[in-house]
Amino acid sequence: MTTDTTPTPEDQRIIRADQPAEILAAARVAFGTVPRDRLLLVGHSGHHTRPVLTSSPLTELVAESGREHLEHHLSLMREKGCTAALAMVVLRDGSEHVDPIELEDWERVGAALLLDTAHHLLPDPFDLYPLWVLGAGTARQVVLEHDEVGDGMSLWVSPVQQLEPFDHTRAAMDAVLEGRSVRPDLPGREVLAEVGRRLRLAPVAASPADTSDLLTRTRAALSRIGARRAGSTGSDEQFMTDCEQVSTMLSALAIDAVHWELLALCVDHGSPTPVDREMLFQELTSDPTRRPHDDVCAGGGIYSDLLLLREAAAAAMHLGHPAGAASAASAWRGLTAVLALLAWWNHRFSGAGEMVDDLLRHDPSSTLAPLLETMIDTPIFPAWWPEA
């Protein structure tokens, strides 16, 4: 099972097990994105220990090998020192409408699979308590009860509890006060798709040495495009200039060497020493001092801007000017690979896996995708791990 993993912030050591909205909000702030159709586990090793959040897609649980995926997920948590976990099944985003039959299936069948698998995990059981099922703005706790006579078990489902809105949770309020990202979705996605549909990409004579300057100017252009979307004033001439800057960046990203340099710049961001371009992977897997800056984590400024560029590349690849479609496709593949590696570096193995799946769907002949897939599924861990 591919998982996203992150410790909670150092000053947030207590997560109330009886407040599902707070658990969901803490995960949303920690991952920098809205958990949607996910299994969230808050691993710990008893009271007064720092929680570790993990996330994985529900689609893997309902697959034929769902039990094996879950066993692998729990084993990875045990390797991180966790002996138990709070568990949460999030259907849609927890507040959106869910078919009552689907909700009941997860309360009964899905919850039973989770609890039974954890109970029989070898060499020792892994305690999942409490287990919450969230959907349609409600939360229900599910407990696997052992019969007093015999080896039978039965499920107990709690009465329905209304789910507190995200904006009303303490986790959200604290995040706002600390200046942390609580954005519900990537702003500007639609306008960048529209920009991409208008682009006429052309080959450019870019070199890796140009990448830093290109990225700086493109991020400024993306900021102005976003401001225009929000209603700020701006001339049509400036908008066209910004679109041309996005086009130049995407054209440059059609060059393989620029992909690699872009990743290296993300690794260098906030670091006192530049990473050796020839030994980049080796450093990320062996040097624990190589830690990602907040800007290149999910929800961070650079990461979000790369997602926007990927949105523009996708539109240019499918609906843009035909002459530039090939360049747009190369840029999209490069951005997808960079984002997958950044997600992996941040212990977001599930998010990285989804990027690789996208890459394989659009480019089955990709030579990089199998390498990325091996890194994520094995998994090969980045060297750094934030300790409590």
Side-chain angles (χ1 to χ4, degrees):
M1 174 176 282
T2 52
T3 63
D4 293 340
T5 307
T6 185
T8 57
E10 291 190 11
D11 58 348
Q12 187 185 330
R13 296 175 180 271
I14 299 175
I15 293 181
R16 290 285 300 273
D18 61 345
Q19 295 180 351
E22 290 292 345
I23 301 172
L24 182 61
R28 174 170 165 176
V29 172
F31 287 118
T33 188
V34 179
R36 188 181 298 274
D37 290 318
R38 313 289 290 187
L39 169 66
L40 299 177
L41 296 180
V42 185
H44 59 87
S45 55
H47 293 297
H48 307 298
T49 59
R50 187 178 180 186
V52 175
L53 293 170
T54 69
S55 164
S56 55
L58 292 180
T59 51
E60 294 191 347
L61 283 179
V62 299
E64 186 175 346
S65 55
R67 184 179 290 269
E68 289 77 11
H69 284 307
L70 180 59
E71 289 174 348
H72 180 60
H73 188 164
L74 297 177
S75 296
L76 289 175
M77 294 190 72
R78 184 172 278 162
E79 289 177 11
K80 295 299 180 184
C82 300
T83 58
L86 317 180
M88 180 172 289
V89 173
V90 184
L91 301 176
R92 310 303 177 267
D93 70 351
S95 62
E96 296 171 348
H97 173 73
V98 178
D99 189 300
I101 295 176
E102 181 182 2
L103 193 56
E104 185 176 355
D105 282 345
W106 274 104
E107 291 170 9
R108 301 291 178 179
V109 181
L113 168 67
L114 292 170
L115 294 169
D116 185 65
T117 302
H119 179 72
H120 291 96
L121 187 69
L122 298 176
D124 300 303
F126 194 97
D127 188 23
L128 288 187
Y129 180 83
L131 168 62
W132 293 94
V133 177
L134 273 57
T138 63
R140 297 162 180 81
Q141 185 178 342
V142 183
V143 177
L144 190 64
E145 297 180 324
H146 298 265
D147 294 342
E148 294 182 2
V149 179
D151 297 327
M153 296 184 182
S154 60
L155 282 177
W156 173 81
V157 181
S158 74
V160 174
Q161 174 178 329
Q162 292 301 308
L163 196 63
E164 189 176 24
F166 171 75
D167 291 342
H168 295 178
T169 63
R170 179 172 179 174
M173 295 177 189
D174 288 346
V176 171
L177 290 174
E178 296 163 7
R180 305 188 71 197
S181 172
V182 293
R183 289 177 292 184
D185 285 300
L186 189 65
R189 185 185 294 272
E190 299 85 0
V191 72
L192 260 295
E194 179 60 32
V195 167
R197 285 189 282 271
R198 299 179 180 185
L199 295 182
R200 294 173 176 250
L201 272 64
V204 297
S207 74
D210 303 324
T211 309
S212 179
D213 182 55
L214 278 172
L215 181 62
T216 299
R217 287 189 279 113
T218 302
R219 294 192 67 205
L222 290 173
S223 178
R224 287 189 294 269
I225 289 172
R228 180 185 178 95
R229 170 182 175 270
S232 298
T233 57
S235 68
D236 290 342
E237 182 180 357
Q238 180 64 63
F239 180 69
M240 292 303 298
T241 300
D242 290 335
C243 288
E244 289 172 5
Q245 180 59 50
V246 171
S247 179
T248 300
M249 183 70 190
L250 292 180
S251 295
L253 284 169
I255 302 169
D256 288 346
V258 175
H259 307 163
W260 192 255
E261 180 62 21
L262 178 61
L263 176 62
L265 288 173
C266 291
V267 173
D268 284 347
H269 189 64
S271 174
T273 56
V275 68
D276 183 341
R277 272 50 175 170
E278 298 297 325
M279 300 291 289
L280 195 152
F281 278 142
Q282 291 88 332
E283 286 201 30
L284 294 185
T285 54
S286 63
D287 184 355
T289 67
R290 288 286 177 192
R291 294 169 175 247
H293 189 277
D294 287 348
D295 277 349
V296 297
C297 294
I302 293 177
Y303 192 93
S304 296
D305 285 343
L306 295 183
L307 282 174
L308 289 175
L309 283 173
R310 183 173 179 262
E311 200 74 28
M317 177 170 62
H318 296 297
L319 298 172
H321 194 264
S327 293
S330 295
W332 182 90
R333 287 193 295 269
L335 285 163
T336 301
V338 170
L339 286 163
L341 287 165
L342 290 179
W344 165 84
W345 191 30
N346 283 280
H347 294 267
R348 309 296 203 266
F349 301 130
S350 176
E354 290 170 3
M355 288 285 179
V356 174
D357 289 344
D358 276 352
L359 192 58
L360 285 170
R361 277 194 294 270
H362 287 87
D363 184 14
S365 63
S366 170
T367 56
L368 181 59
L371 170 62
L372 296 174
E373 198 170 32
T374 299
M375 290 176 62
I376 294 161
D377 291 343
T378 305
I380 299 171
F381 288 104
W384 79 284
W385 176 256
E387 301 294 342

